[in-house]
Amino acid sequence: MDFAKRRERVRRALQRAGLDALLVSSPLNVTYLTGFTGDDSYLLFHRGGEVVVSDPRFTVQLGEECPEIDLHIRKPGVPLTSALARVLRWAKAGNVGFESDAMTVGGLERLKSAAERTTFRAISGIVERLRAIKDADEVAAIRTAVDCAQRAFGVVRAAMQPDKSEKRVADELDYQMRLFGARQSAFDTIVGVGPRSALPHCRPGVQPLSASGLVLIDWGACVGCYHSDLTRVVATGKIAAKLEHVYRVVLDAQLRAIAAIRPGVSCCDVDAVARAIIERAGFGSRFGHGLGHGIGLQVHESPRLAAGSEAVLRAGMVVTVEPGIYLPGVGGVRIEDDVLVTRSGSEVLTSVPKQWEDIHMAG
């Protein structure tokens, strides 16, 4: 990945903001800008270049993952704030931006005390705005995470049995994703049987698949540093006519929302497309979350597809589209795909079948 190009974009943003330096403290932003995958390390942009401030645990790893970056390795017993203050003095950084969404109040106060001659200015979203638009390498990484999740789901679905519990299905999915190359699951896998599928973030329990004909599964893989996020409903038996109707409404809402995705469209307008369909069907109050979110180094990142979101879609963004209807005591339906915004429209990266006829288990 071209980390130098990313850092140059940050440098241009700093010039526009009138800052001498930027202290990047979010571990994910450090990873995005350098390739370093460890923690407890800061990246400082200054007028002469960039330097990572870290400790001896990561000296070798930093040399392997980002050999082109200058390093300041603090000695054992030297507080991070003291090391940062020393680097700030060395860099002659008088007006420094810091990531207000990542640095704690206590951390900032300690840094101010250690670097009394430095002025600190709260900055939000400089790196996150860059991260929202994926480059070709990032899109390829997300495709790999999608493929891993889908292959794992195919294995687990083929082996579903009525006596398996929600937790057993979730555990098998987690295990299969690792076998197919995932570093870990993207998040705690969700499996909900019957009425428990109406819990959007259901924690898998002991309920067997035979307890109901409907199972909601929300899962994703983290491959390298990038994530995927999918949701499907599986019919393991006969499903009530009301839930079949709900399923068709959710699928229609999702397909129409995906069709509305293209550069220049506001995120709230895409959300409104799906929400209007669900509201017309009489289930508006049962769709209580946003339509989707960006995905990449985090499972949830910018932009947000939601009512009130003023963000505008741009080519290179990757978002989830996941409308849902949840009927307490009855069941819930959510259908989710990962979608790339292209120059002319969109591309659905996920391919697990989702038509009503596709969700039924054989036999």
Side-chain angles (χ1 to χ4, degrees):
M1 295 190 179
D2 194 344
F3 300 108
K5 186 175 182 180
R6 296 175 186 176
R7 292 194 297 273
E8 181 56 33
R9 289 172 178 166
V10 171
R11 192 163 290 284
R12 290 198 294 267
L14 287 182
Q15 292 175 349
R16 292 192 294 270
L19 291 168
D20 295 334
L22 174 67
L23 187 61
V24 179
S25 56
S26 161
L28 286 176
N29 287 346
V30 173
T31 296
Y32 177 76
L33 295 168
T34 68
F36 174 57
T37 58
D39 53 21
D40 294 332
S41 304
Y42 285 12
L43 171 66
L44 176 69
F45 285 82
H46 58 90
R47 288 179 175 175
E50 301 93 28
V51 58
V52 170
V53 181
S54 189
D55 64 64
R57 293 175 298 163
F58 299 114
T59 303
V60 173
Q61 183 178 346
L62 283 160
E64 293 175 347
E65 293 182 338
C66 46
E68 76 284 3
I69 298 286
D70 291 335
L71 302 180
H72 177 86
I73 303 299
R74 57 191 173 102
K75 295 180 180 179
V78 175
L80 176 58
T81 50
S82 298
L84 287 170
R86 180 177 179 180
V87 172
L88 289 170
R89 288 193 296 271
W90 166 80
K92 298 180 181 179
N95 185 21
V96 180
F98 69 93
E99 294 184 305
S100 57
D101 295 326
M103 182 169 285
T104 65
V105 173
L108 178 61
E109 291 303 316
R110 289 190 295 272
L111 185 55
K112 285 181 176 179
S113 296
E116 295 179 350
R117 297 183 180 181
T118 302
T119 300
F120 293 94
R121 176 176 154 195
I123 297 295
S124 177
I126 282 183
V127 182
E128 286 78 5
R129 283 190 288 273
L130 297 178
R131 282 174 46 193
I133 301 173
K134 275 60 182 178
D135 58 33
D137 290 329
E138 291 181 288
V139 173
I142 294 171
R143 289 184 192 275
T144 301
V146 167
D147 180 66
C148 175
Q150 293 186 150
R151 293 170 71 186
F153 181 75
V155 172
V156 172
R157 175 173 168 160
M160 281 185 176
Q161 298 293 331
D163 61 339
K164 286 188 176 180
S165 68
E166 294 171 340
K167 185 177 183 302
R168 175 70 180 273
V169 172
D171 290 345
E172 289 181 357
L173 256 177
D174 295 343
Y175 175 65
Q176 289 296 330
M177 283 190 285
R178 282 174 167 79
L179 288 183
F180 283 115
R183 177 166 59 88
Q184 60 188 35
S185 302
F187 48 87
D188 290 341
T189 299
I190 296 167
V191 180
V193 171
R196 286 170 52 78
S197 62
L199 303 173
H201 285 178
C202 176
R203 292 187 176 184
V206 299
Q207 287 77 5
L209 301 186
S210 59
S212 173
L214 179 146
V215 183
L216 185 146
I217 303 174
D218 187 343
W219 79 106
C222 177
V223 179
C225 294
Y226 285 83
H227 299 79
S228 57
D229 188 0
L230 301 85
T231 307
R232 288 294 186 268
V233 169
V234 176
T236 59
K238 183 175 177 57
I239 295 180
K242 183 174 185 178
L243 285 176
E244 177 181 347
H245 174 61
V246 165
Y247 187 93
R248 294 184 184 278
V249 170
V250 171
L251 180 59
D252 184 36
Q254 197 221 24
L255 292 174
R256 290 177 183 267
I258 291 172
I261 291 176
R262 62 183 182 277
V265 175
S266 68
C267 291
C268 62
D269 285 347
V270 178
D271 177 274
V273 170
R275 203 164 297 278
I277 292 170
I278 291 174
E279 288 176 349
R280 283 198 298 270
F283 299 108
S285 64
R286 300 304 181 186
F287 178 22
H289 57 74
L291 178 64
H293 52 82
I295 192 166
L297 287 174
Q298 291 174 288
V299 180
H300 293 83
E301 58 183 45
S302 297
R304 292 177 59 247
L305 301 182
S309 174
E310 298 179 356
V312 174
L313 294 174
R314 296 176 60 183
M317 290 179 170
V318 180
V319 297
T320 68
V321 182
E322 48 179 306
I325 296 174
Y326 311 94
L327 306 179
V330 178
V333 170
R334 180 169 65 254
I335 305 171
E336 178 181 19
D337 287 294
D338 301 337
V339 180
L340 168 67
V341 183
T342 65
R343 292 181 179 180
S344 59
S346 67
E347 177 191 352
V348 180
L349 302 180
T350 38
S351 59
V352 178
K354 58 187 176 182
Q355 294 297 324
W356 174 252
E357 295 77 15
D358 298 321
I359 72 169
H360 298 268
M361 297 294 298

